[in-house]
Amino acid sequence: MSDKYKPTEHDGLTKDGEPDGRVGTGKFAQGQVDPHDAGQKGGQATGTGSGESGNSGGSAKGEFAHGKVDPHEAGRKGGSS
């Protein structure tokens, strides 16, 4: 075995007994953030989600393939090309 000192094997402490910042605490966000509060804030975040706004270049609502393909014709042909 190696004689190299590993803080992970000594409760996250360096050789001189100081906490080693590279070692995780096992807590959410290293104990700096309350996971309950973070979850509540995340659940209240705003965004477009799957709503009708926020169209990013796709087909308009109710339009198939930018109106260039007849959906019934495409359905009849299926995956064959």
Side-chain angles (χ1 to χ4, degrees), residues 9-26:
E9 296 175 356
H10 298 89
D11 295 321
L13 301 176
T14 59
K15 282 184 180 180
D16 61 359
E18 295 294 317
D20 190 324
R22 299 172 296 172
V23 179
T25 62

Side-chain angles (χ1 to χ4, degrees), residues 7-61:
T8 54
E9 296 175 356
H10 298 89
D11 295 321
L13 301 176
T14 59
K15 282 184 180 180
D16 61 359
E18 295 294 317
D20 190 324
R22 299 172 296 172
V23 179
T25 62
K27 296 181 182 177
F28 178 75
Q30 308 302 323
Q32 297 177 7
V33 178
D34 179 31
H36 183 74
D37 290 342
Q40 284 184 325
K41 290 177 183 176
Q44 296 171 356
T46 60
T48 59
S50 61
E52 297 169 38
S53 63
N55 189 351
S56 61
S59 297
K61 183 172 172 34

